[in-house]
Amino acid sequence: MASARYEGSCHCGRVAYEVEVDLDKTITCNCSYCQRRGSVLAFSPAQNFTLLKGEDALTEYRFNTQKIQHLFCETCGVESFARASSPDGTPMIAINARCLSGVEPAELQPAPYDGRSR
């Protein structure tokens, strides 16, 4: 697939965005949070992400190290993306690939990530 531009949103559409991301590099994480949520994650530098609408509809949740800003639509409860920084400090966006228009999650080949042990 390589890097391409996608549109994404929460379930109700109150939060919507565009992002350039490489879906050949997706992961599934087994930490206590991600395992329950079941998302397929892809990562993109924040400069490749544009929130089109819904900043005022986002509710934040942080846990453990408090470094990831998990953002939910206050209307439908879907977390379509999160904000954090890479280890080198680069602002990043974690995209829930299940929330991207035109993407069939069953066609993705996410690598497992052992977040439980970190």
Side-chain angles (χ1 to χ4, degrees):
M1 285 183 200
S3 187
R5 192 127 190 104
Y6 298 93
E7 293 181 355
S9 70
C10 63
H11 184 259
C12 72
R14 193 165 168 205
V15 175
Y17 54 88
E18 292 180 341
V19 64
E20 185 174 324
V21 67
D22 184 352
L23 295 183
D24 286 337
K25 298 178 181 175
T26 57
I27 67 162
T28 55
C29 177
N30 67 354
C31 77
S32 64
Y33 181 72
C34 289
Q35 182 169 318
R36 285 169 177 80
R37 201 175 71 216
S39 59
V40 176
L41 298 172
F43 300 90
S44 181
Q47 66 192 26
N48 294 345
F49 177 87
T50 303
L51 184 62
L52 301 174
K53 64 179 182 174
E55 184 74 43
D56 62 332
L58 295 172
T59 300
E60 178 183 314
Y61 173 68
R62 294 184 188 230
F63 77 106
N64 194 13
T65 64
Q66 309 289 307
K67 293 180 181 179
I68 301 172
Q69 186 182 22
H70 297 278
L71 299 165
F72 298 84
C73 171
E74 68 182 9
T75 302
C76 67
V78 169
E79 179 181 348
S80 59
F81 72 95
R83 294 179 179 136
S85 295
S86 66
D88 69 3
T90 302
M92 298 292 288
I93 304 292
I95 301 295
N96 181 352
R98 294 181 181 275
C99 294
L100 298 175
S101 297
V103 172
E104 178 53 53
E107 294 176 5
L108 300 174
Q109 297 179 338
Y113 178 79
D114 186 10
R116 185 181 301 147
S117 298
R118 297 183 188 261

